[in-house]
C-alpha cells in the first residue's frame, strides 16, 4: 500500500469514529422536563411535562394551517398537521435536546428548555 492510501484509510476511520461519537451524544435523552413551543421565534407555551396532564391541543398558524400537539405520559409530540410533508409527525416524541420537533411550513419548534426560562 502506498503512503497516500494509508493516509486516506486513516482519515476515513477518524471521520467514521467522530460520526459514531456524535450520534451517541446527540441521541442522549434529555434530563429536562421543561419544553418551549416556539412559533415565529416567540415562545407561545412553556410547559413542565412532569406536571402536565395528558391532553391534546391544536396550534393554529396565523397565515393558515395547524398542528395538533399531544402530551401523554410526560412526553410531547405532534400527532397531526395539515403541512404537506408531515416531517413534524414523523419525528415522533421529543427525546433529545439536540433534535427538536420542527414544522417548517408553520414555523413551529418544540424543544427542551431550562426550568423557569419562559416565566
Amino acid at each position: 500500500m502506498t503512503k497516500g492510501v494509508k493516509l486516506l484509510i486513516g482519515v476515513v476511520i477518524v471521520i467514521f469514529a467522530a460520526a459514531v461519537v456524535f450520534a451517541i451524544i446527540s441521541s442522549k435523552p434529555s434530563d429536562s422536563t421543561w419544553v418551549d413551543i416556539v412559533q415565529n421565534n416567540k415562545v407561545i407555551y412553556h410547559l413542565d411535562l412532569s406536571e402536565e396532564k395528558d391532553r391534546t391541543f391544536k396550534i393554529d398558524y396565523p397565515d393558515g394551517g395547524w398542528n395538533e400537539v399531544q402530551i401523554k405520559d410526560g412526553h410531547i409530540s405532534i400527532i397531526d398537521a395539515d403541512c404537506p410533508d408531515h416531517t413534524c409527525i414523523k419525528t415522533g416524541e421529543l427525546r433529545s435536546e439536540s433534535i427538536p420537533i420542527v414544522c417548517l411550513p408553520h414555523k413551529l419548534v418544540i424543544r427542551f428548555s431550562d426550568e423557569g426560562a419562559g416565566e
Side-chain angles (χ1 to χ4, degrees):
M1 264 195 267
T2 66
K3 190 176 183 179
V5 172
K6 289 180 183 178
L7 181 63
L8 181 62
I9 291 171
V11 169
V12 169
I13 289 171
V14 168
I15 291 172
F16 179 75
V20 168
V21 169
F22 176 75
I24 291 169
I25 290 171
S26 68
S27 65
K28 177 186 167 273
S30 176
D31 295 331
S32 177
T33 60
W34 288 88
V35 296
D36 285 338
I37 301 177
V38 180
Q39 191 170 54
N40 287 325
N41 294 321
K42 288 185 177 180
V43 176
I44 57 174
Y45 293 100
H46 181 71
L47 308 168
D48 182 358
L49 295 178
S50 66
E51 300 291 324
E52 288 288 324
K53 295 182 179 183
D54 291 355
R55 65 182 173 127
T56 302
F57 57 97
K58 195 176 265 189
I59 298 175
D60 293 316
Y61 182 59
D63 293 341
W66 51 269
N67 295 81
E68 192 170 349
V69 177
Q70 180 181 55
I71 298 173
K72 186 174 182 180
D73 300 328
H75 298 281
I76 190 165
S77 61
I78 295 178
I79 58 169
D80 198 11
D82 70 342
C83 54
D85 60 3
H86 292 133
T87 301
C88 53
I89 299 168
K90 295 173 189 170
T91 302
E93 293 178 347
L94 181 64
R95 297 186 188 277
S96 170
E97 290 182 6
S98 59
I99 305 173
I101 300 172
V102 178
C103 181
L104 287 177
H106 300 148
K107 297 180 178 136
L108 185 73
V109 177
I110 301 175
R111 64 180 181 217
F112 283 109
S113 69
D114 295 330
E115 181 178 352
E119 295 176 352

